[in-house]
Amino acid sequence: MYQTLDPKTLTVFITGATSGFGAAAARRYVAAGGKVIATGRRGERLKELQDQIGAENCHIIELDVRDRAAIDAAISAIPAPFAGINVVLANAGLALGLQPAAETDITDWETMIDTNVTGFVYTVRALLPGLIERGGGHVVTLGSVAGDYPYPGGSVYGATKAFVKQFALNLRADLQGKNVRVTNIEPGLTETEFSLVRFKGDEGQANKPYEGTTPMNADDIAEAIFWSTTLPAHVNINRLQMMATTQAFAPFDIYRRG
């Protein structure tokens, strides 16, 4: 029988756990007997999650990943039953707007860079030494197909996810011999709050990308995350790209002359 890692041995630090992939992953790990530290900016959402899956195996921290001092303080204050973190799920991120580059609100670009890049590296850097000191673990980063395939209006969002992809690959090289695995999960069309956030609460716009499709959902992505971290310790999934069956590679945009 194929021997996978026992999820009961995993303590998972999750950013962006207030909805979507992060919340689904928290539920998946706790259901399998693991422990999670669920973090995010919306405290009431975290409390709802904790009430659903139980405080015994879910510690919550209200946290903005863009605040490096807050991350360091939060990690230092983690209670003993949750201190043995061996999986880091760097999930917090967002897309804002879909305007052409010359028309976009520059503050949207700044927010995406601050969250998807700066907050992301703050998270990994703060937790990595602990993984190494404890003898190993797993860093899971959340990329996107947008990190490989460009589309109109996705300039900075796609660029941030390309950064995540390359950071994860370089991190894998840095960690050779440290017994720390690194996996970049790269989802495509998935129906969560992602689109609602991108269009700042406009439900009409947010629903359009999913019309006529059968998108993936947060549980689909959480299952892939869980699978990658419970494979035997000698197996590392470098990148895992996922698309809905009804999604394919974007057609080239053609400029029609004359």
Side-chain angles (χ1 to χ4, degrees):
M1 185 177 178
Y2 195 66
Q3 296 296 312
T4 57
L5 288 183
D6 184 355
K8 294 183 178 67
T9 66
L10 301 180
T11 300
V12 189
F13 187 100
I14 304 174
T15 62
T18 56
S19 65
F21 306 154
R27 290 190 290 266
R28 182 67 180 92
Y29 281 105
V30 169
K35 288 188 172 73
V36 300
I37 301 157
T39 76
R41 291 184 297 116
R42 293 175 288 183
E44 72 286 352
R45 289 280 193 95
L46 293 173
K47 187 63 172 67
E48 289 172 8
L49 177 65
Q50 187 183 52
D51 289 344
Q52 289 171 8
I53 61 181
E56 182 179 351
N57 290 316
C58 177
H59 177 65
I60 58 175
I61 305 172
E62 192 169 340
L63 179 66
D64 187 335
V65 296
R66 297 172 295 182
D67 186 337
R68 183 160 57 92
I71 293 174
D72 292 340
I75 292 168
S76 66
I78 290 171
F82 295 87
I85 298 164
N86 50 15
V87 177
V88 176
L89 175 52
N91 165 73
L94 77 167
L96 291 173
L98 202 60
Q99 299 89 351
E103 301 170 19
T104 193
D105 182 345
I106 192 70
T107 60
D108 286 348
W109 282 5
E110 291 172 332
T111 301
M112 286 186 280
I113 293 167
D114 288 347
T115 307
N116 301 2
V117 176
T118 305
F120 164 75
V121 298
Y122 284 169
T123 301
V124 175
R125 178 61 182 83
L127 289 157
L128 200 55
L131 297 183
I132 295 170
E133 289 166 12
R134 286 186 288 275
H138 203 142
V139 177
V140 180
T141 60
L142 249 297
S144 167
V145 296
D148 271 352
Y149 309 111
Y151 58 86
S155 52
V156 165
Y157 175 71
T160 66
K161 292 306 180 179
F163 176 92
V164 170
K165 173 185 68 178
Q166 197 61 35
F167 179 89
L169 292 172
N170 283 317
L171 187 61
R172 175 93 175 92
D174 273 354
L175 291 169
Q176 183 67 16
K178 301 296 185 183
N179 200 34
V180 177
R181 300 188 287 181
V182 183
T183 300
N184 191 41
I185 304 289
E186 305 169 13
L189 187 70
T190 312
E191 190 167 11
T192 62
E193 290 184 359
F194 175 86
S195 196
L196 195 63
V197 171
R198 161 168 263 171
F199 295 111
K200 302 179 181 179
D202 185 326
E203 292 188 6
Q205 278 192 297
N207 290 333
K208 283 181 182 177
Y210 309 113
E211 290 176 358
T213 74
T214 305
M216 297 183 292
N217 58 52
D219 290 332
D220 296 325
I221 310 308
E223 191 62 33
I225 294 166
F226 180 83
W227 170 78
S228 72
T229 58
T230 52
L231 286 170
H234 68 277
V235 180
N236 188 92
I237 303 298
N238 297 327
R239 298 174 61 189
L240 181 58
Q241 192 172 98
M242 305 170 65
M243 281 186 173
T245 305
T246 52
Q247 182 184 26
F249 306 105
F252 288 110
D253 190 36
I254 299 173
Y255 176 75
R256 300 192 182 279
R257 296 172 179 82

